[in-house]
Amino acid sequence: MTPLGGLGDVGRNSASFEINGQRLILDCGVLFPDENHPGVDLILPSLHLLGETLDDISCLVLTHGHEDHIGAVPYLLRRRPDIPVLGSRLTLAFLREKLKEHRIRNVDLREMEAGSRTTMGEFDLEFLAVNHSIPDALAVLVRTKAGTVLHTGDFKMDQLPLDGRLTDLRGFARAGEEGVDLFMVDSTNAETPGFTTHEIDIQPAMERVFSHASARLIVACFSSHVHRVQQVMDEAVKAGRKVVYVGRSMVKNMTIAAQLGYLKVPANTLIALDDIDKYAPKDVVIVSTGSQGEPLSALSRIANHEHPIITAGPGDVVLLASSLIPGNENSVSRVINGLTKNGVKVVHKGNALVHVSGHASSGELLYCYNLVKPRNVMPVHGEVRHLHANAELAIATGVPRENAVVVEDGTVVDLHDGKVAVVGRLEADYVFVDGSTVDAVGDAELDERRILGEEGFISAIAVVNLHTGELVEGPIITARGFIDEEGIFDSISAEVAGGLREALADGAEDTYPLQQLMRRRLGRWVSKRYRARPMIVPVVLAT
Amino acid sequence: MTPLGGLGDVGRNSASFEINGQRLILDCGVLFPDENHPGVDLILPSLHLLGETLDDISCLVLTHGHEDHIGAVPYLLRRRPDIPVLGSRLTLAFLREKLKEHRIRNVDLREMEAGSRTTMGEFDLEFLAVNHSIPDALAVLVRTKAGTVLHTGDFKMDQLPLDGRLTDLRGFARAGEEGVDLFMVDSTNAETPGFTTHEIDIQPAMERVFSHASARLIVACFSSHVHRVQQVMDEAVKAGRKVVYVGRSMVKNMTIAAQLGYLKVPANTLIALDDIDKYAPKDVVIVSTGSQGEPLSALSRIANHEHPIITAGPGDVVLLASSLIPGNENSVSRVINGLTKNGVKVVHKGNALVHVSGHASSGELLYCYNLVKPRNVMPVHGEVRHLHANAELAIATGVPRENAVVVEDGTVVDLHDGKVAVVGRLEADYVFVDGSTVDAVGDAELDERRILGEEGFISAIAVVNLHTGELVEGPIITARGFIDEEGIFDSISAEVAGGLREALADGAEDTYPLQQLMRRRLGRWVSKRYRARPMIVPVVLAT
């Protein structure tokens, strides 16, 4: 078993299980880049660890439809579209839409219901319902000749779920009685004390907002959070407001969810954005993307008065019904500030109970460990701190410390006779998607971007004649992202020219030392004079 | 009265009060840049609004010694070092150190005690004690012929302060009875419900850490938080550990604080970092900077195994005794992950009560408004959301809505006959310090940095002869921060060369259209082929 991603990060979840020359891939998601990956669009799991051919893959199993679990599937299937993909109905519906966008056809998608069991080569698979912040999520019980693995996927244990679909703790208990050799458990909230609040507990805040809003009302939430949208929908009906979806992914996902029956849309409730002007602001609720302050999202554009259709001002209310993903604090704050400045009242998790997490907190995880009583535990899905916190929970319930293995992406773990052992370590490097390229941009380019983005660059171009020893032209010195005042390079330009002439007179036979000379002189000058370290880009052309 | 900074941001606090041709400047701090200001070192208040000459400034009043209140003083005093600077003893001691670093001499620093009163030209000043996350903070009562202003500075109302120095609510009450025309109030925590926890309430967590730590113990906190360090010091004495300061600003500030008596250092407690190896890890506590995950700080270097002297591993404990400044979540998480990975136990605000805020929460602010009963209120120090939340608190206590003025930096506010009116608006642009330059880098350069940092650049250089219509050399196409694979520019290079030759054959008389041709062709190619938009930097040299 080798984690291909998600152990050390919140994202790019993927794991490979190997037995007798066959592989099962569990989830294949993306990681969203942070400030350490400037310009990168997506980060993929280390699929290169699967080797040159993908012929040994028996199946891909998906636990649920979030991007960090299915977002990288196209990058796997475009190499071998015939891999059977197993998942729940909603998960596969979201995937189907994604594959369409990637123009991947003739795929083999197999719908699995919670409670069902099937065999794929060496793998005997049983699917168990779990609840999460998206409907139709599954845990997976993988029985093999080498032992039994229970993988929770992302989950929580809401005991009053809105759709009545409980996490199948009976199934967990049954698996435990049968014997679970390796329990792989969602670590996202392992540091959070106590229990995750019920989804239904945000109802009062939601009702309050609807009853107090007398003009325009906008609710922003994750575009896959069907239950959250259902809550808004229900309140809208009570309040006599029509519902409008805003944001491409919101429209797409909610349309799918409604078609498949996961979202109940009462008749005459939904209207199209184009028709919004036919209704008074007080008769509509807008359900929007942009709860993380994404600069191009509908909500950010509304906050900046840049949305072509929707405006929000004094008397209007915006409800941010979502968590704050770490790293997004500043952008969310910018949206709140923008809206507040326009006179909009903003209700958010800082001032009301308007969001609950989709992940089990430490209290719930303890229940799980006690119910399953696994032989070995491997925390998954989280940063190192979360994985360790989760391991400590397992140990607190009696799992021996040596059987709670905290490993990172690329670690090869063997399960043999009910014992888990680390047997190797592969380089599980990030794979960057940048524009239309995959793995074409790497750490070297990101290092360059970091310097360019912090300090800009100074370029110096000179044309020389190596035969006559003449400086034909230049140096022409220009800068971008650096102070670019008229004449600031005059003195250093003359100095560099002098240096070049000297070197040429000394019989330089090559452009390389001349470039180095320009780099050195400019670098020293800019560092001394401006305490700055822009990238120096010297080019010497020899005619 | 004109705010020069701090109204719309948490930082660069500064305000200018004008009467009869005289000015009082209250605070002069810096704002720390975020991801929107790549490469910028500091952001200064809009001191340019003070005009060409600074001759009309009667005095600079400092409320306390935090960087966001005193950090920009050198940039003001280097233009007029003789401005009298009034502040408390510790504030001026911190400032003196800063001015030394900036080589600003012959300054006129005047120590003011809490409770004292003095006149500076048109301004009658009274200083009132407030408590905050640094000792010796002051509120200021400014009496003028136009009316009386009470400015809280940054403050909270800890009723059990560690040093026994209470916020002078009697003074606030007295000012209120006399009549406060304008009450300027710290907004930082105006959104926070209830009351800020007492400093003393973190004692149990601190004790627990000291009693459980059996090996190395590192406490990271803000380097100006004298009381936090005092708590560590007291626990260290009880536990029989020596104390070592790590980090330049920690050493500097705590040395000053001890010299002036704000920090009580028991004999034989403090040791130098160089002597740390003479003691067993369990006999020392390290007090370190880096609680915000600053990459170059001691703590980050310890987490990355890069510190020359200190290591931390299994069995060791790190206590992050500080808040998390929004925007620093990722970097702090990186430090926690790094330490956790090394086997260190990390105690932080997420898993223990190890920090309390330095600012009054909404509950305390209500007390203030009721005690002072001001005629007009102007929330200061905070983002727009905080200013608005603070205004709502004032209004809730009975201040008429039209008298609670939420304004932003640069708004000119007049106080006349006890009435406040907005009379103008100046451009309160950010002033960037970058390297050794002030205001040399502006929005245009930051825009370029943003493009360069996200996408890199492609440069294309060609040498042409406009007389003969010949393409002498090039185009030489290179990239930085962009895919730089062997040969990727071959085809486009040939295409651009063809375009240049055609344009030259058509009789191009100037290099400009040739540069535009290169920019267009390359831009189109890279956008179509890679869905990327790097900066295109074309240079055509004519010989």
Side-chain angles (χ1 to χ4, degrees):
Chain A
M1 186 267 140
T2 316
L4 307 176
L7 274 66
D9 288 303
V10 175
R12 69 168 201 145
N13 295 294
S14 189
S16 162
F17 297 84
E18 308 96 28
I19 185 166
N20 296 337
Q22 294 190 8
R23 267 183 208 273
L24 176 152
I25 310 296
L26 192 121
D27 286 335
C28 194
V30 294
L31 169 67
F32 293 103
D34 66 17
E35 70 275 17
N36 281 321
H37 313 110
V40 170
D41 297 315
L42 294 172
I43 301 174
L44 305 182
S46 302
L47 300 177
H48 49 277
L49 300 184
L50 299 177
E52 287 297 300
T53 77
L54 303 174
D55 293 344
D56 55 351
I57 299 178
S58 311
C59 63
L60 167 62
V61 173
L62 302 176
T63 58
H64 63 285
H66 278 151
E67 286 298 314
D68 58 337
H69 290 256
I70 70 166
V73 173
Y75 299 91
L76 180 61
L77 291 195
R78 73 187 194 181
R79 292 175 57 200
R80 222 199 101 192
D82 66 313
I83 295 172
V85 184
L86 285 66
S88 70
R89 202 159 162 230
L90 185 67
T91 306
L92 294 185
F94 281 178
L95 178 66
R96 205 170 280 125
E97 207 52 36
K98 181 177 293 293
L99 294 173
K100 232 186 260 170
E101 285 163 18
H102 282 259
R103 289 158 207 231
I104 297 172
R105 293 184 190 87
N106 302 320
V107 289
D108 178 5
L109 308 188
R110 306 188 187 182
E111 273 182 30
M112 304 307 300
E113 277 189 25
S116 68
R117 194 165 167 174
T118 188
T119 302
M120 299 298 294
E122 292 280 336
F123 305 97
D124 174 354
L125 303 171
E126 184 177 344
F127 296 89
L128 302 172
V130 290
N131 58 46
H132 184 42
S133 45
I134 188 170
D136 226 8
L138 296 169
V140 188
L141 189 63
V142 186
R143 295 180 179 88
T144 71
K145 290 193 191 91
T148 297
V149 178
L150 177 57
H151 193 296
T152 62
D154 281 358
F155 83 120
K156 61 177 172 177
M157 291 159 53
D158 193 333
Q159 295 303 298
L160 299 169
L162 290 173
D163 62 356
R165 186 174 177 274
L166 290 159
T167 288
D168 186 2
L169 295 182
R170 284 190 183 178
F172 278 36
R174 213 185 328 109
E177 287 190 354
E178 186 185 311
V180 169
D181 296 300
L182 179 61
F183 192 23
M184 299 172 77
V185 182
D186 177 10
S187 307
T188 316
N189 276 359
E191 282 189 325
T192 310
F195 291 79
T196 301
T197 314
H198 307 123
E199 283 287 336
I200 210 170
D201 290 342
I202 71 167
Q203 190 103 353
M206 195 82 92
E207 282 170 2
R208 214 178 129 81
V209 167
F210 270 86
S211 68
H212 281 63
S214 55
R216 191 177 289 308
L217 173 58
I218 301 173
V219 180
C221 68
F222 292 117
S223 66
S224 58
H225 206 316
V226 178
H227 292 153
R228 194 62 41 85
V229 174
Q230 184 73 63
Q231 285 180 296
V232 176
M233 192 79 74
D234 295 348
E235 289 303 320
V237 171
K238 281 200 261 170
R241 288 183 184 247
K242 303 288 179 189
V243 175
V244 181
Y245 301 140
V246 172
R248 211 177 61 91
S249 59
M250 186 65 77
V251 174
K252 193 179 66 180
N253 291 345
M254 291 310 136
T255 305
I256 293 172
Q259 279 165 356
L260 299 184
Y262 294 96
L263 180 70
K264 316 274 179 245
V265 183
N268 298 319
T269 302
L270 207 59
I271 62 167
L273 180 55
D274 287 340
D275 292 334
I276 195 169
D277 285 339
K278 296 182 187 159
Y279 298 85
K282 70 170 182 43
D283 294 332
V284 175
V285 54
I286 295 167
V287 179
S288 162
T289 55
S291 64
Q292 297 302 305
E294 303 91 329
L296 300 178
S297 68
L299 192 63
S300 284
R301 285 153 71 203
I302 294 168
N304 296 330
H305 293 300
E306 286 167 0
H307 197 279
I309 301 177
I310 302 167
T311 59
D316 297 338
V317 176
V318 168
L319 172 63
L320 294 177
S322 63
S323 66
L324 220 171
I325 294 174
N328 294 346
E329 291 78 4
N330 284 347
S331 40
V332 171
S333 218
R334 262 191 292 279
V335 169
I336 295 177
N337 283 322
L339 292 167
T340 305
K341 203 167 153 178
N342 301 344
V344 176
K345 183 173 164 56
V346 186
V347 180
H348 53 86
K349 73 188 274 272
N351 56 24
L353 178 58
V354 291
H355 179 74
V356 299
S357 169
H359 299 272
S361 300
S362 58
E364 289 144 273
L365 294 173
L366 291 172
Y367 271 85
C368 279
Y369 289 122
N370 284 327
L371 211 52
V372 174
K373 288 275 172 221
R375 293 202 184 87
N376 302 278
V377 166
M378 181 189 294
V380 296
H381 305 173
E383 299 174 11
V384 173
R385 55 193 287 189
H386 307 129
L387 304 179
H388 278 271
N390 200 359
E392 292 301 327
L393 294 173
I395 291 162
T397 64
V399 173
R401 186 167 288 274
E402 61 273 21
N403 295 359
V405 290
V406 175
V407 300
E408 285 181 72
D409 297 339
T411 307
V412 186
V413 177
D414 213 14
L415 178 61
H416 198 70
D417 286 340
K419 282 207 183 105
V420 159
V422 172
V423 295
R425 180 78 200 263
L426 306 169
E427 278 306 322
D429 294 333
Y430 282 173
V431 178
F432 299 123
V433 176
D434 191 343
S436 62
T437 70
V438 178
D439 211 14
V441 163
D443 290 336
E445 284 77 22
L446 296 193
D447 284 344
E448 291 179 345
R449 285 182 187 173
R450 234 166 266 132
I451 297 169
L452 290 169
E454 291 272 303
E455 307 259 1
F457 71 89
I458 297 179
S459 105
I461 304 169
V463 183
V464 300
N465 188 323
L466 292 173
H467 308 295
T468 62
E470 193 194 354
L471 175 59
V472 180
E473 183 77 51
I476 295 169
I477 302 180
T478 53
R480 295 288 199 291
F482 182 76
I483 316 157
D484 206 1
E485 281 162 17
E486 189 67 28
I488 81 162
F489 298 124
D490 287 355
S491 69
I492 184 62
S493 179
E495 190 198 314
V496 172
L500 290 173
R501 283 203 192 88
E502 264 174 51
L504 286 162
D506 288 352
E509 293 180 347
D510 190 356
T511 57
Y512 179 75
L514 300 176
Q515 288 186 5
Q516 289 302 89
L517 182 149
M518 293 211 290
R519 184 195 306 279
R520 259 195 328 267
R521 296 267 172 115
L522 274 168
R524 216 181 296 145
W525 171 79
V526 75
S527 153
K528 197 167 162 205
R529 172 133 183 200
Y530 295 103
R531 280 204 273 129
R533 301 170 67 89
M535 184 181 283
I536 311 286
V537 188
V539 179
V540 175
L541 302 174
T543 57
Chain B
M1 187 268 140
T2 315
L4 307 176
L7 275 67
D9 288 303
V10 176
R12 71 167 199 145
N13 295 295
S14 189
S16 163
F17 297 84
E18 307 97 28
I19 185 167
N20 295 338
Q22 294 190 9
R23 268 183 208 275
L24 176 151
I25 310 296
L26 193 122
D27 286 335
C28 193
V30 293
L31 169 67
F32 292 103
D34 65 17
E35 71 275 18
N36 280 320
H37 314 109
V40 170
D41 297 314
L42 294 172
I43 301 173
L44 306 182
S46 301
L47 300 176
H48 48 277
L49 300 185
L50 299 176
E52 285 298 300
T53 77
L54 303 174
D55 295 342
D56 55 351
I57 299 178
S58 311
C59 63
L60 167 62
V61 173
L62 301 176
T63 58
H64 64 284
H66 278 152
E67 286 298 313
D68 57 337
H69 291 256
I70 70 167
V73 173
Y75 300 91
L76 179 62
L77 291 194
R78 74 187 193 181
R79 292 175 58 198
R80 223 199 101 191
D82 65 314
I83 296 172
V85 183
L86 285 66
S88 70
R89 203 159 161 230
L90 185 67
T91 306
L92 294 185
F94 281 179
L95 178 66
R96 205 170 279 123
E97 213 39 51
K98 180 177 293 295
L99 294 173
K100 233 186 261 169
E101 285 163 21
H102 282 258
R103 291 157 206 229
I104 297 172
R105 293 183 190 87
N106 302 320
V107 288
D108 178 4
L109 308 188
R110 306 187 186 182
E111 271 181 32
M112 303 308 301
E113 279 190 23
S116 69
R117 191 164 168 175
T118 189
T119 302
M120 299 298 293
E122 294 281 336
F123 304 97
D124 174 353
L125 302 171
E126 185 176 344
F127 296 89
L128 302 172
V130 291
N131 59 46
H132 184 41
S133 45
I134 188 170
D136 226 9
L138 296 169
V140 188
L141 188 63
V142 186
R143 295 181 180 89
T144 70
K145 290 192 191 89
T148 298
V149 178
L150 177 57
H151 193 296
T152 63
D154 280 358
F155 83 121
K156 61 176 171 175
M157 290 159 54
D158 193 334
Q159 295 302 298
L160 300 168
L162 291 173
D163 61 357
R165 186 174 177 276
L166 290 159
T167 288
D168 186 1
L169 295 183
R170 284 190 183 179
F172 278 36
R174 214 184 329 106
E177 287 191 354
E178 187 185 313
V180 169
D181 296 302
L182 180 60
F183 192 22
M184 297 172 77
V185 182
D186 178 10
S187 308
T188 315
N189 276 1
E191 283 189 325
T192 310
F195 291 78
T196 302
T197 314
H198 307 123
E199 282 289 335
I200 210 170
D201 290 342
I202 73 168
Q203 190 102 353
M206 196 82 92
E207 282 169 3
R208 213 178 129 81
V209 167
F210 270 86
S211 68
H212 281 64
S214 55
R216 191 178 288 306
L217 173 59
I218 302 173
V219 181
C221 67
F222 291 117
S223 67
S224 58
H225 206 316
V226 178
H227 293 152
R228 194 62 42 84
V229 175
Q230 184 72 63
Q231 285 180 297
V232 176
M233 191 79 74
D234 296 347
E235 289 304 319
V237 171
K238 281 198 262 170
R241 287 184 185 247
K242 303 287 180 190
V243 175
V244 182
Y245 301 140
V246 172
R248 212 177 60 91
S249 59
M250 186 65 77
V251 174
K252 194 179 66 180
N253 291 344
M254 291 309 135
T255 305
I256 293 172
Q259 279 166 357
L260 299 185
Y262 294 96
L263 180 72
K264 316 276 179 243
V265 184
N268 298 319
T269 301
L270 208 57
I271 63 167
L273 180 55
D274 287 340
D275 293 334
I276 195 169
D277 285 339
K278 296 181 187 158
Y279 299 84
K282 70 169 182 43
D283 294 331
V284 174
V285 55
I286 294 166
V287 179
S288 162
T289 56
S291 63
Q292 297 303 306
E294 304 90 329
L296 300 177
S297 68
L299 193 63
S300 284
R301 285 153 70 203
I302 293 168
N304 296 332
H305 294 299
E306 286 167 2
H307 197 278
I309 301 176
I310 304 168
T311 58
D316 297 338
V317 177
V318 169
L319 171 63
L320 294 176
S322 62
S323 65
L324 221 172
I325 294 174
N328 294 346
E329 291 78 4
N330 285 348
S331 40
V332 171
S333 217
R334 262 191 291 280
V335 169
I336 295 177
N337 283 323
L339 292 166
T340 306
K341 201 168 156 178
N342 300 344
V344 177
K345 183 174 162 56
V346 186
V347 181
H348 53 86
K349 71 189 277 273
N351 57 24
L353 179 58
V354 291
H355 178 74
V356 299
S357 169
H359 299 272
S361 300
S362 59
E364 289 146 281
L365 294 173
L366 291 172
Y367 271 85
C368 279
Y369 288 123
N370 285 326
L371 212 52
V372 174
K373 287 277 172 218
R375 291 200 184 86
N376 300 279
V377 166
M378 182 189 293
V380 296
H381 305 175
E383 299 173 12
V384 173
R385 56 194 284 191
H386 307 129
L387 303 179
H388 278 270
N390 200 358
E392 292 300 327
L393 294 173
I395 292 162
T397 65
V399 173
R401 186 167 288 274
E402 62 272 23
N403 296 357
V405 288
V406 175
V407 299
E408 285 181 72
D409 297 340
T411 307
V412 185
V413 176
D414 212 14
L415 177 61
H416 198 71
D417 287 339
K419 283 209 182 104
V420 158
V422 171
V423 295
R425 181 77 201 263
L426 305 168
E427 277 306 324
D429 293 335
Y430 282 173
V431 177
F432 299 122
V433 176
D434 190 342
S436 63
T437 70
V438 178
D439 210 14
V441 164
D443 291 335
E445 285 77 20
L446 296 193
D447 283 344
E448 290 179 345
R449 285 182 186 172
R450 234 166 268 133
I451 296 168
L452 290 168
E454 291 270 301
E455 307 259 1
F457 72 88
I458 297 180
S459 104
I461 304 169
V463 183
V464 300
N465 187 323
L466 292 174
H467 308 295
T468 63
E470 192 194 353
L471 176 59
V472 181
E473 183 79 51
I476 295 169
I477 302 180
T478 53
R480 295 288 199 290
F482 182 76
I483 316 156
D484 206 1
E485 280 162 18
E486 189 67 31
I488 80 161
F489 298 123
D490 287 355
S491 70
I492 185 63
S493 178
E495 191 198 313
V496 172
L500 290 173
R501 283 200 193 90
E502 262 173 51
L504 286 161
D506 287 353
E509 293 179 347
D510 190 357
T511 57
Y512 179 75
L514 301 176
Q515 288 186 5
Q516 290 301 89
L517 183 149
M518 294 210 290
R519 184 195 306 280
R520 257 195 329 267
R521 296 267 173 115
L522 274 167
R524 216 181 295 145
W525 171 78
V526 75
S527 152
K528 197 169 162 203
R529 172 131 183 201
Y530 295 105
R531 278 202 275 130
R533 299 169 68 87
M535 185 181 283
I536 311 286
V537 188
V539 179
V540 176
L541 303 173
T543 57

